[in-house]
Amino acid sequence: MDKNIYNPEKLQTAYYSCEHGTGMADKIKDAILQADLHNDIRHMFLFRAELCEEAAWYLDRADTVKVFKELLDIADSHPGTEFGGFIYHRIHWKEFLLWTYETFLDVVKSFYNIPLEECKGYINDFSKRWTAYGYDEREPYRMNLELCFETGNMEEAAGLWEKYIKMPLVFNDINKGGHLSRDTKTYAYLPTEIKYYLANNQLQKAGKILDRIQVMHTTAGIGHIYSVMSRAMRIFLEYYIINGNYEKAAEISGRLEHSNRDEKEFIFHAPFMCSYVYTKTGRGMRIYRNYWEEWENEKNPQYRYYIFKNTACFFKALKKAKGTDTIKIRTGNTFPFYNEDKIYNIEMLCNYYYKKAEEIARKFDQRNGTGCYIERLEKSFANA
């Protein structure tokens, strides 16, 4: 593009006109290059923020790591700069930055090669920004709780929980209203509370919270509430798989699978497949045939762990459900155990995925200094 006709608004219109995914991301990356070339600080920030958003929902979240660090650097290098609002979400840039930071925190803890101390450092930085931008300290506590849940540090989680649960929910948005309604903000905290109760085997309390979210979704019909409800149901889905309650897991999968949402956050094919092994075995196999190759190419280690764990459980349960040692799977020649007959030993497939999950689990446990990933794998497998 000629430097003399640089037009950031047209660049923005160009990527908004694309379908979500790689096409839109490529257009945003082009916009970033043009903004950098013209040293357009506001759009250098804005375009990177929107690339982080697109990657979080529709692409590989690993793509957000480098770009988000650049985003923070721009904000810190230009103190006092008013970057404006974001048209798509109608929110102030500071709120958007914090919102995107939370996604970034989810990403960094999902890569075992990122040290735990570095993850904690990012949470500390998030906490400072959160309070400096005028918000209360409750959300930083929630982010620390989420890290404890993911790493299996339940002793620290218990201490944080005692303080967190007593903190009032304060609505003090930067832009006197913000993107999210009061009800939506209230419910956005609840999946974390569900995690805590399920981790402490308080199923009834967790169930009551899910009921509240579902009532809100039914009565309000707010799009963001679906995101909250989906996360909550995903937590229950994984809980039921770990504990061997495949009937309940299949019930949740049936509801989530037919939600007609295409954002990556709402698509959980591996747990769907696993949960259907006893009740919709054919459906489970179709999911496997459709997605095994995509799973092999997944970059996020945490996603890979849960995919392989659930697939190992699926094949273990499949052998019991079918009462046979082999199964025919129509695959191409890139399949790990491809043969022309396309008949595969079920136990061999089970062991293949178990070992892949186990390898990742040990790396996470080494990073985290706990044994929770191996424990989840072993318990899920024992109950399959």
Side-chain angles (χ1 to χ4, degrees), residues 88-135:
Y88 186 76
H89 294 289
R90 303 184 302 280
I91 62 176
H92 191 275
W93 71 267
K94 289 182 178 179
E95 186 174 351
F96 194 97
L97 180 68
L98 294 172
W99 180 7
T100 308
Y101 209 145
E102 291 193 350
T103 300
F104 175 76
L105 294 176
D106 282 339
V107 172
V108 295
K109 70 188 179 188
S110 68
F111 283 79
Y112 52 69
N113 60 315
I114 298 179
L116 185 59
E117 287 306 310
E118 187 173 335
C119 296
K120 292 180 178 179
Y122 286 127
I123 291 179
N124 289 336
D125 181 65
F126 167 82
S127 301
K128 292 175 183 177
R129 293 174 190 273
W130 183 269
T131 53
Y133 290 170
Y135 289 87

Side-chain angles (χ1 to χ4, degrees), residues 215-233:
V215 168
M216 180 63 183
H217 178 254
T218 301
T219 57
I222 301 171
H224 197 80
I225 288 293
Y226 180 80
S227 175
V228 176
M229 186 177 74
S230 175
R231 289 198 300 274
M233 293 178 74

Side-chain angles (χ1 to χ4, degrees), residues 322-337:
K322 291 183 68 66
T324 60
D325 293 329
T326 61
I327 189 169
K328 188 166 186 176
I329 307 174
R330 297 184 182 89
T331 63
N333 58 14
T334 58
F335 191 66
F337 302 102

Side-chain angles (χ1 to χ4, degrees), residues 54-69:
E54 183 67 13
W57 288 92
Y58 298 97
L59 299 168
D60 190 331
R61 284 187 162 192
D63 294 339
T64 65
V65 175
K66 176 178 179 293
V67 178
F68 186 73
K69 289 180 179 179

